Amino acid sequence: MQSWADDVAHTIVQGVTRSGKSVWTYSLLAQLAADPLVTICGSDPTGLLWRPFAGTRHAALQVSGVDDPGAHEALLQALVADMDARIADARRPRHRRDHHRPAAASRRP
């Protein structure tokens, strides 16, 4: 199975106001979210970005708003730990690699 995760690691979206950046970004995220090998995760102080993902499998790894800075910190620490584990795993021969999903941080609003 070919995954989006193999093709889209980092992306920057730039443009003037009302040029379609948000529409393009949500379209990409919706396609990525459908892939079982991809988890849409992150920290959004605005409380807007993750609304379309409420109630989905992705929500456990998303923090929104400014009421609980500790939740953002816990999530980011969990994601960094996951990235460190993936980097260590990438150094192993392909047939010995662990394929895992990030563990949810301990607190979510």
Side-chain angles (χ1 to χ4, degrees):
M1 170 192 267
Q2 178 67 30
S3 169
W4 277 88
D6 296 331
D7 299 326
V8 182
H10 298 91
T11 303
I12 296 173
V13 181
Q14 300 181 93
V16 298
T17 301
R18 304 199 52 81
S19 64
K21 298 178 300 292
S22 294
V23 171
W24 184 87
T25 300
Y26 277 118
S27 175
L28 175 62
L29 289 175
Q31 292 176 60
L32 289 168
D35 187 327
L37 299 176
V38 173
T39 302
I40 307 299
C41 55
S43 173
D44 174 34
T46 70
L48 301 174
L49 182 61
W50 303 132
R51 284 184 184 173
F53 299 101
T56 69
R57 65 183 175 82
H58 306 280
L61 290 167
Q62 299 171 349
V63 177
S64 293
V66 295
D67 293 339
D68 187 359
H72 291 272
E73 180 182 7
L75 173 65
L76 294 173
Q77 287 177 348
L79 294 175
V80 168
D82 182 68
M83 287 185 280
D84 289 345
R86 288 172 185 261
I87 290 168
D89 192 43
R91 293 184 178 124
R92 293 186 193 109
R94 184 173 281 278
H95 69 280
R96 299 192 68 196
R97 292 183 186 174
D98 296 326
H99 296 283
H100 62 281
R101 301 178 71 78
S106 60
R107 295 177 56 190
R108 287 290 150 326

